[in-house]
Amino acid sequence: MTVSTVAPRHGVAQVTALLDLPEVRALIAGLDETRWTGRPGYPVRTMVGVLLAKSVYALPTWTRTLRLLGEHDALRDAVGGVVPSDDATYRFTAKMREHRHLLDAALDAVVRAVKDANPDYGIDVALDGSDMAAYSNGHRTLFKNGPVREKFADADASWGHRSAVGTRKGGGYFGHKLHAMVCTRTELPIAWTTRTAKDAEKNEVEGLFDIAARRGVEPATATLDKGYDAQPIYDLLLARHVRPVIALVGTLRVQRGEHKPPTCQHGTWTFAGADDKRQATQWRCPSRACKPASVWIKYDRLHPPIPHGTDRWKAIYRGRTSVERCFGRLKNDAGLTPLRVRGSDRVSLHTDLTILTTLAAALARARALSVAA
Ligand SMILES: [Zn+2]
């Protein structure tokens, strides 16, 4: 594991370092060209500084962020010496939503830069979804046995299912879901999307690989839990030359042991490699006495290129927990949750800004380390 053990820098130093990153400066320059007039004249750099400070200090609201800016001289100086008004901040986030392509370009650039700074990033990945409870009451009735609720504060939220994590039980929740591809070596996100809670995780896999490819990341292996165990997921990963490491659901064929290696009177056949050209794995009789002494088995859900049950499969699958640790850090350390915004556009912007800050901080650290080395 090459997770950086360098302690996070002091908040002010971190906000300054983030604003100085070429990728963030390009975002500021792009927004400048859209002629933002934050009456009475707040510079774009100040506004972007406020967005970053909110994530760096894991603050739930703009109001709290602006209050901190008012009280914290060094932080205020770092963003240009002024405290924007609440109103200017809301207008600026509206502008960010209008100009999503600029933020998308910044995220693409930051992911590419993280990859350049750390060749380990993006080779082995894990995918999963994580619950984000809405800033809204989702109950069908206004109170127990009361009238049916006609309007939900967050009209884009829906009821979905969250899986058990650690000691927390799984169950239903009302809100949104973050779907992400995370690097298992660095535990940093690569591609992500937010959807309403009821949307199935399987449907997001292809889109996440498309986003990753746009950012120059083409993973060698992808680890997913049972929720993704379906032939179409294997097919789309194999078509992209990604080796699937997916937990098997105990279907009838699995109960019959069809995923296990072939056997003969000489014992269990041994794995002799995977051939992507043939799209098949090769297996050999342990004594070579059988005729033929080896067979090819076509890739499928039961017979992937990294076979189920092998040490290699198990070692890679252990990396899957990295995606849960990444979600935990985004939620608990970077202020991803609890959500204090409503609607899919705002939830998506909040998520992107939180992850931008996390990735930009990792990038600033990696660059500082390479300068020090
Ligand atoms: Zn044999």
Side-chain angles (χ1 to χ4, degrees):
M1 198 73 50
T2 54
V3 178
S4 174
T5 51
V6 177
R9 290 204 256 176
H10 187 251
V12 175
Q14 190 155 333
V15 171
T16 307
L18 297 186
L19 284 170
D20 283 345
L21 282 174
E23 294 77 10
V24 173
R25 289 162 74 148
L27 170 64
I28 294 169
L31 287 162
D32 258 327
E33 278 172 28
T34 67
R35 296 176 175 275
W36 151 257
T37 53
R39 291 174 304 265
Y42 303 113
V44 167
R45 186 176 177 279
T46 297
M47 303 312 297
V48 171
V50 172
L51 304 185
L52 297 173
K54 179 171 177 281
S55 297
V56 166
Y57 289 91
L59 295 169
T61 61
W62 299 116
T63 308
R64 293 260 310 263
T65 310
L66 298 173
R67 197 191 304 150
L68 177 69
L69 223 56
E71 292 166 355
H72 196 318
D73 296 346
L75 180 61
R76 192 170 58 251
D77 287 346
V79 303
V82 285
V83 182
S85 65
D86 245 317
D87 190 47
T89 309
Y90 283 98
R91 278 186 286 117
F92 188 72
T93 57
K95 184 164 188 73
M96 291 290 288
R97 291 196 304 276
E98 270 170 45
H99 297 277
R100 279 310 293 258
H101 61 285
L102 294 172
L103 182 57
D104 288 342
L107 289 165
D108 291 358
V110 168
V111 168
R112 279 181 182 278
V114 171
K115 186 168 175 281
D116 289 344
N118 186 349
D120 263 352
Y121 174 73
I123 295 171
D124 297 308
V125 303
L127 279 72
D128 205 357
S130 188
D131 59 290
M132 295 194 290
Y135 187 35
S136 171
N137 189 324
H139 290 283
R140 204 178 55 82
T141 55
L142 289 173
F143 47 86
K144 199 176 177 193
N145 302 322
V148 170
R149 189 182 302 273
E150 286 179 357
K151 266 184 80 177
F152 293 91
D154 187 339
D156 296 330
S158 62
W159 283 93
H161 185 268
R162 66 179 189 188
S163 48
V165 174
T167 54
R168 194 200 69 187
K169 279 187 186 171
Y173 76 98
F174 184 72
H176 302 264
K177 189 177 276 186
L178 170 61
H179 302 265
M181 176 196 293
V182 170
C183 167
T184 65
R185 300 190 192 180
T186 60
E187 304 195 352
L188 291 170
I190 296 161
W192 58 91
T193 180
T194 52
R195 296 279 183 252
T196 191
K198 67 170 193 269
D199 285 5
E201 292 173 4
K202 276 181 212 164
N203 299 339
E204 303 304 326
V205 175
E206 185 146 41
L208 291 174
F209 274 91
D210 286 341
I211 295 168
R214 190 181 79 209
R215 295 175 175 171
V217 175
E218 288 175 350
T221 71
T223 303
L224 302 96
D225 69 18
K226 274 183 190 182
Y228 298 86
D229 179 27
Q231 189 59 45
I233 302 290
Y234 281 89
D235 291 342
L236 83 86
L237 294 178
L238 290 168
R240 288 169 181 263
H241 310 289
V242 180
R243 307 210 146 178
V245 176
I246 307 178
L248 269 179
V249 174
T251 54
L252 198 61
R253 294 183 65 197
V254 172
Q255 288 170 33
R256 286 196 207 115
E258 288 181 34
H259 60 297
K260 291 186 176 161
T263 56
C264 65
Q265 64 196 58
H266 310 108
T268 302
W269 288 34
T270 54
F271 176 58
D275 185 332
D276 286 348
K277 277 216 186 85
R278 287 175 188 256
Q279 292 280 294
T281 50
Q282 190 176 28
W283 298 83
R284 286 206 184 101
C285 161
S287 76
R288 313 278 177 98
C290 282
K291 293 245 178 320
S294 76
V295 293
W296 291 95
I297 302 178
K298 278 271 172 205
Y299 290 166
D300 69 5
R301 171 182 161 251
L302 298 180
H303 307 98
I306 300 172
H308 295 292
T310 56
D311 289 345
R312 176 132 188 268
W313 190 97
K314 289 175 195 161
I316 295 172
Y317 194 78
R318 274 195 290 275
R320 210 198 65 80
T321 49
S322 62
V323 67
E324 281 164 13
R325 284 191 293 276
C326 177
F327 286 143
R329 277 195 291 270
L330 288 171
K331 290 178 175 182
N332 304 321
D333 304 341
L336 182 64
T337 57
L339 288 178
R340 286 294 174 270
V341 288
R342 302 182 179 103
S344 48
D345 281 5
R346 287 176 173 81
V347 169
S348 162
L349 177 67
H350 166 68
T351 306
D352 281 3
L353 290 171
T354 306
I355 298 180
L356 172 67
T357 307
T358 297
L359 285 173
L363 181 59
R365 269 199 310 274
R367 286 185 178 153
L369 286 173
S370 73
V371 168

